[in-house]
Amino acid sequence: MHRTIRAAVCSVAVAGLAFGLSSCSEAVDQVDKAVDETYEVTYEVTGKNVDSIEFHGGGGKALEPKIESVSKPELPWKKTVKLRGIMPAAVMPVAADPEGAQVACKITYKGKVLEEQSAKGLVTAGGCTAESPVTG
């Protein structure tokens, strides 16, 4: 008897969790549509021996942003992109160098630094991610 009740409660809890997660995703999509304001950020990457840079370029949805990529970028690298709604600004330079690598990234919005990171080492992935300034 207790086992049957426990199994029923677990089933309801799992179903509720699954429904909650899908509801959360739907809520984010609705907020993203409602907050249709756009904003521009500038990504900057410096360092040495950076193999590639991936960044949110403005396409896609808040939870599934379109990722753009640049291979073997000339440093220092700088790009201004227009993002929308609650989509976060994000840039990730990647460097793999047996002599050691140095990577730094920065995200600015209207002259204000939203995020800044740096890293050194054999394999470096120093990434920057910042909240959308239109949500704050």
Side-chain angles (χ1 to χ4, degrees):
M1 175 95 173
H2 290 289
R3 210 177 262 177
T4 304
I5 294 171
R6 189 178 313 147
V9 169
C10 286
S11 295
V12 169
V14 169
L17 179 60
F19 176 74
L21 290 176
S22 69
S23 294
C24 180
S25 177
E26 290 169 15
V28 167
D29 287 343
Q30 288 175 359
V31 169
D32 195 34
K33 287 178 186 173
V35 181
D36 201 30
E37 183 178 345
T38 60
Y39 66 99
E40 284 189 351
V41 293
T42 299
Y43 301 131
E44 295 179 61
V45 174
T46 58
K48 67 177 188 177
N49 301 324
V50 172
D51 296 310
S52 66
I53 300 171
E54 293 188 345
F55 58 96
H56 292 175
K61 295 195 244 178
L63 289 179
E64 298 169 358
K66 180 181 176 191
I67 307 294
E68 295 186 28
S69 183
V70 176
S71 294
K72 298 290 183 193
E74 187 175 321
L75 299 176
W77 178 85
K78 189 176 195 177
K79 178 143 181 106
T80 299
V81 298
K82 185 181 284 189
L83 302 175
R84 184 182 62 79
I86 62 173
M87 181 180 291
V91 61
M92 188 171 97
V94 178
D97 182 356
E99 301 298 319
Q102 297 176 349
V103 174
C105 62
K106 180 168 40 173
I107 301 172
T108 56
Y109 169 71
K110 293 186 177 181
K112 178 184 171 193
V113 175
L114 297 179
E115 181 67 20
E116 191 168 19
Q117 297 290 328
S118 63
K120 295 179 181 179
L122 178 63
V123 177
T124 303
C128 294
T129 303
E131 261 184 50
S132 166
V134 301
T135 61

